[in-house]
Amino acid sequence: MKRVVVGLSGGVDSSVAAYLLKEQGYEVIGLFMKNWHDDTVTISNECPWLEDSNDALLVAEKLGIPFQTVDLSEQYKERIVDYMFNEYENGRTPNPDVLCNREIKFDVFMKIALSLGADYVATGHYCRKGTLEKDGKEIYQLLAGVDGNKDQSYFLCQLSQEQLSKALFPIGELTKPQVREIAAQMELVTAEKKDSQGLCFIGKVRLPEFLQQQLQPKEGLIYEIAADNPVYTEEKPQFSSLEEQLAYEAKNIAYSPETGKVVGKHQGAHYYTIGQRKGLNVGGTKEPLFIIATDVKSNAIYTGQGHNHPGLFKKALFVKNTEVHWIREDLALKPGETLDIMARIRYRQPLQKARLHQFENGLYVAFEEPQSAITEGQFVSWHLEDELVGSGVIS
Ligand SMILES: Nc1ncnc2c1ncn2[C@@H]1O[C@H](COP(=O)(O)OP(=O)(O)OP(=O)(O)O)[C@@H](O)[C@H]1O
């Protein structure tokens, strides 16, 4: 009998995943991980992990499977929390959920599971695993969940073949309502529990509060850039190569205080991200202000009015070679090659038509339609039909 360790989060999805595996005849072990140091969460005077671990325990009892808790808060702090602070400090916007899957659930956690004699690690993610054979070799595929509303493959976009080979996603063929129905039929305590917003990080602690723990406030100015500013209408240079053109299209406009007018003050450019609308506390504009750029060096925030402001849009983005990741290693491009794909630059964004262009020093994603709020530090994933084949960090 194959042994599976299920990451039991105390939520409905992983509860049903555990139930389904048991039904399928696996020997199932439930494992809850504690990610948070108590002193990291007490900022909002909550202790969320205690309630969740208790629910996980109750589900394991109900299903009659062994259950354990592991404390991974040290590793989580080192690999996720510190990275978060560092990225924000440098003006980038990281995605802790993608990192948590690559570094914690399918690494540290997976190693513990394997040391318990497990053949597989299962989670309650809405995605599927496929296999195909190529040149006599077995290749693993990361496929979208059947429930288009809930597809969580984006969060797993950094997994390797090795990690996928040992992963199981038991609820990927189901929709959320079906999962809830199964939980209710089985009388699992998590059947009606609220969704955790799909964020292993921000769901527990509010981001601004969290960032203020380590990043000191530093007052700076908010500038507004008019939609008809000459930076948007300057004539395009003549390009001598496609690479030069893509570099131009992916480039951030270097705003300076002279380009705009002061409309307010902020408490630190490192707290903010491109595309953000809330938290600026600037009133009196005809349309709401959106952040179009932040500059942590000069501690300035640049904004524009309305979600159609030209400063929000770009047609291309760049990924450094060291940050290009192919789940389907067999499809990796060589310099000079291109591939037509569908891409997204954030969780739940509808897939966008784009072309990958691989060059010596990195990869460009060139979109058919200009994209709003392409944000440094976030992940872009690329897809062929319902398969997520690769991803990268936006530079
Ligand atoms: N603290 C944890 N301990 C063990 N596994 C976890 C934990 N948190 C998340 N996981 C695993 O990762 C999966 C995805 O986590 P996420 O936080 O996105 O929750 P979710 O989609 O709301 O799922 P759930 O309803 O199971 O909480 C979970 O289904 C679970 O298998």
Side-chain angles (χ1 to χ4, degrees), residues 361-379:
N361 67 340
L363 179 101
Y364 285 96
V365 183
F367 293 94
E368 200 168 276
E369 298 294 329
Q371 298 295 309
S372 177
I374 294 179
T375 307
E376 220 184 313
Q378 293 272 295
F379 289 92

Side-chain angles (χ1 to χ4, degrees), residues 93-95 98 151-155 157 199 273-276 290-291 307 312-314 317 343-352 367 370-383 388 392 394:
T93 307
N95 186 318
V98 173
D151 171 30
Q152 288 176 318
S153 54
Y154 179 79
F155 291 133
C157 69
L199 299 177
T273 186
I274 291 176
Q276 186 175 335
F290 288 81
I291 296 179
H307 64 274
L312 282 169
F313 292 87
K314 281 198 300 190
L317 64 85
R344 61 165 55 100
I345 53 171
R346 61 182 69 87
Y347 176 51
R348 300 201 76 170
Q349 182 196 26
L351 288 171
Q352 305 289 310
F367 293 94
Q371 298 295 309
S372 177
I374 294 179
T375 307
E376 220 184 313
Q378 293 272 295
F379 289 92
V380 54
S381 64
W382 48 89
H383 307 242
L388 195 164
I394 300 171

Side-chain angles (χ1 to χ4, degrees), residues 274-295:
I274 291 176
Q276 186 175 335
R277 171 181 160 177
K278 294 200 178 113
L280 282 169
N281 299 321
V282 178
T285 55
K286 206 163 143 228
E287 287 193 74
L289 287 178
F290 288 81
I291 296 179
I292 56 179
T294 64
D295 182 352

